[in-house]
Amino acid sequence: MKVAVVGYPNVGKSSLVNRLTNSREAVVHERAGITRDRKEIATEWNGRRFTLIDTGGMDNEDPDPISGSIRDQAKAALADAQVALFVFDAKAGLRPGDDELADLLRRSRMPVVVAANKIDSVTDIPLAVEAHRLGFGEPMAVSAAQGLGTGDLLDRLVDLLPEDDEEIDETLIRLAVIGRPNVGKSSLVNRFVGSDRVIVSDVAGTTRDAIDLPLEIDGRKIVVVDTAGMRRQSKVSESVEYYTTLRSQRAAERADVALVVCDANDGVTQQDLRIADLAMTSGCATAIVLNKWDTAQMTEADLDHERAHVANKLRLRPKVLTASALTGRNMERLLKEVVALGDRMQGRIPTPELNRFIGEVVQARQPPAKQGHRLKLLYAAQIGERPPRFAIQVNSRQRVTRDYAYYVENKMRARFGMDGIPLIIDFNERKARRSEIRDDDRKSRGGHAR
């Protein structure tokens, strides 16, 4: 169930959403117009789960084309919601734009709750009375900054929501779309979902929130997260962009799969590699997408060079794929790769197959020896998923060298198709048997005698 939060610019909608969801998901700033796309944030109150849709401020008098897109996004949020939360600034009073929005809400025929925001003290409560003339019943006096009245507001919203029996799908794949500003992330997401769900503009930094979108391919449900562009820290001069980068990092942390979108005209830059490393560190299965392939002057030899460069720089060796959000080139291939990566993240490898693999690895390259004692790989099993985690029993943990551990990891990637998957391999020392201790002591004494 969804509640659309709408209102004039800079009336405190995002601050109120953060207060109601007990989070900092919505970007908040004193400058008007910071929220542009609509952003869905799940919350719970008195055992009821529902979603708040944070929208940009609606100002019908603003001629800016992006303002027009913001209005369209807010209207789409209303079409997708069951209840509307109309927020206005009680201290500034109702404005002409509020009357126009109220007219739009009356035509929607959905339940509407009016929140008179910025009621920061009891003496401010009479300021909410003005909203009676809108015709939506008793306005709720609230303060997003202080938290006053928010419990009563949540009670009212929950009472108006219809019952929802939707079950959580455990096979759901969460996809984060991340990358530098203006590389075409929003255009790529719009191609995925087949609609202008995310505002697309040539102006870098248009997307300022991480936006969650549902999608389905071949019966598999995917939630696509289009995140704000991430720039190098030295270039993050505005506080808005700083907080936006934090949202992008959080999106990667709660995703199963990440597509790192790059501009094919630039190739894979150092910042692209840093963003890919961030996704991998967050535990995401990762692939790199060279977008704008239709305009790139890159040959197959150049593409092979980029792939070799990525494999050399990134330990997880993610695939490098080409695409064009403008023409739709390779969109289906990208989505199938997302599903494949998601399946590998939550899949399991049978123990007998793992131990056959260990035997082949040891036969191809002998484990290292230290002080005359050789490392032995005794037994392997998978002990976790999302990301996949494996335990390999060894006779001595101290004999495991970094070089040989990387060798085992790379062989595992190649054998089981895990390029781009963050693997965790634990080398656990098995407690030595008494017979092995006696043999080691005998060898040690013999060595000293010589």
Side-chain angles (χ1 to χ4, degrees):
M1 295 294 102
K2 297 180 181 180
V3 176
V5 183
V6 295
Y8 198 78
N10 214 27
V11 296
K13 296 183 298 300
S14 295
S15 296
L16 186 58
V17 167
N18 283 341
R19 174 67 69 174
L20 297 178
T21 58
N22 194 28
S23 73
R24 295 181 180 177
E25 290 293 320
V27 176
V28 177
H29 202 273
E30 62 270 16
R31 189 199 314 166
I34 292 302
T35 303
R36 293 175 175 177
D37 299 307
R38 63 190 193 270
K39 176 178 177 60
E40 299 186 2
I41 306 175
T43 188
E44 182 178 348
W45 183 253
N46 289 341
R48 286 295 307 276
R49 294 178 181 272
F50 60 99
T51 299
L52 289 173
I53 310 176
D54 186 26
T55 66
M58 295 179 66
D59 184 359
N60 291 325
E61 300 301 321
D62 191 340
D64 189 337
I66 285 188
S67 292
S69 297
I70 291 171
R71 291 192 293 270
D72 292 339
Q73 291 289 325
K75 291 176 182 177
L78 289 170
D80 195 29
Q82 288 73 42
V83 176
L85 176 56
F86 179 12
V87 183
F88 81 99
D89 184 341
K91 290 186 176 178
L94 291 174
R95 312 173 202 186
D98 292 320
D99 291 321
E100 294 175 8
L101 179 54
D103 187 54
L104 175 66
L105 292 173
R106 289 188 201 97
R107 292 198 300 270
S108 71
R109 297 186 178 180
M110 69 166 59
V112 177
V113 177
V114 178
N117 193 24
K118 305 187 182 181
I119 303 292
D120 297 329
S121 67
V122 176
T123 56
D124 293 332
I125 291 178
L127 298 176
V129 175
E130 184 184 5
H132 274 287
R133 68 178 177 81
L134 297 176
F136 296 121
E138 184 72 24
M140 307 290 295
V142 299
S143 169
Q146 306 294 332
L148 301 175
T150 51
D152 292 336
L153 176 59
L154 285 166
D155 285 339
R156 174 84 70 88
L157 293 174
V158 166
D159 288 342
L160 292 173
L161 285 171
E163 293 296 325
D164 183 15
D165 297 326
E166 185 179 353
E167 295 183 0
I168 298 175
D169 188 354
E170 293 295 334
T171 64
L172 179 75
I173 298 173
R174 297 193 64 86
L175 167 64
V177 180
I178 59 179
R180 293 180 291 119
N182 216 28
V183 293
K185 300 183 299 298
S186 295
S187 299
L188 199 67
V189 171
N190 283 339
R191 273 286 179 182
F192 286 164
V193 301
S195 67
D196 291 332
R197 173 61 174 81
V198 175
I199 295 174
V200 179
S201 171
D202 291 333
V203 181
T206 301
T207 304
R208 286 196 173 141
D209 279 308
I211 312 298
D212 289 7
L213 303 171
L215 183 66
E216 190 168 318
I217 178 170
D218 296 334
R220 290 297 299 277
K221 291 183 178 180
I222 301 172
V223 172
V224 186
V225 179
D226 172 43
T227 61
M230 301 159 74
R231 292 180 180 166
R232 287 168 51 189
Q233 286 299 313
S234 59
K235 293 186 178 181
V236 180
S237 56
E238 291 188 76
S239 62
V240 170
E241 190 163 344
Y242 169 74
Y243 288 114
T244 293
T245 301
L246 292 182
R247 302 304 187 279
S248 299
Q249 291 173 342
R250 287 184 184 179
E253 288 169 359
R254 62 192 179 91
D256 303 306
V257 180
L259 291 181
V260 180
V261 184
C262 314
D263 189 331
N265 296 286
D266 301 331
V268 182
T269 67
Q270 283 300 114
Q271 178 65 357
D272 295 328
L273 292 174
R274 290 190 192 96
I275 293 171
D277 188 62
L278 179 149
M280 295 169 184
T281 304
S282 300
C284 282
T286 306
I288 292 177
V289 180
L290 289 173
N291 191 27
K292 306 184 183 182
W293 188 253
D294 54 306
T295 62
Q297 304 296 318
M298 190 179 288
T299 64
E300 285 298 321
D302 294 331
L303 180 58
D304 290 340
H305 173 76
E306 292 292 334
R307 285 171 171 157
H309 177 61
V310 168
N312 183 52
K313 290 291 184 179
L314 296 176
R315 178 175 166 184
L316 270 61
R317 300 184 177 183
K319 289 184 179 180
V320 178
L321 309 170
T322 62
S324 170
L326 183 64
T327 65
R329 171 192 170 106
N330 286 343
M331 291 298 108
E332 186 176 349
R333 180 187 175 193
L334 285 184
L335 288 172
K336 287 185 176 179
E337 181 64 24
V338 167
V339 172
L341 287 171
D343 286 342
R344 292 187 196 113
M345 279 287 284
Q346 57 191 350
R348 295 192 70 89
I349 300 173
T351 300
E353 194 171 343
L354 272 176
N355 283 285
R356 282 195 297 271
F357 160 74
I358 291 296
E360 293 168 5
V361 165
V362 171
Q363 189 173 8
R365 177 178 167 182
Q366 279 278 5
K370 286 186 178 181
Q371 297 177 344
H373 302 288
R374 188 168 298 280
L375 171 69
K376 294 180 181 178
L377 308 186
L378 305 171
Y379 180 80
Q382 183 172 351
I383 58 174
E385 59 275 324
R386 288 191 177 188
R389 185 168 193 150
F390 303 89
I392 299 178
Q393 273 197 353
V394 296
N395 61 334
S396 172
R397 179 68 181 83
Q398 292 182 343
R399 297 171 198 167
V400 180
T401 62
R402 176 175 294 187
D403 179 63
Y404 200 77
Y406 283 168
Y407 164 73
V408 173
E409 180 182 325
N410 290 334
K411 286 294 184 181
M412 184 175 287
R413 291 189 190 286
R415 171 66 177 272
F416 299 109
M418 289 191 167
D419 286 342
I421 306 293
L423 303 181
I424 301 173
I425 301 177
D426 300 323
F427 290 90
N428 300 325
E429 184 170 332
R430 189 190 70 179
K431 291 183 179 180
R433 297 168 183 167
R434 290 181 180 178
S435 58
E436 292 175 348
I437 295 174
R438 286 196 299 270
D439 289 343
D440 285 346
D441 288 343
R442 192 179 301 115
K443 290 178 181 178
S444 178
R445 286 195 298 272
H448 288 303
R450 285 194 298 269

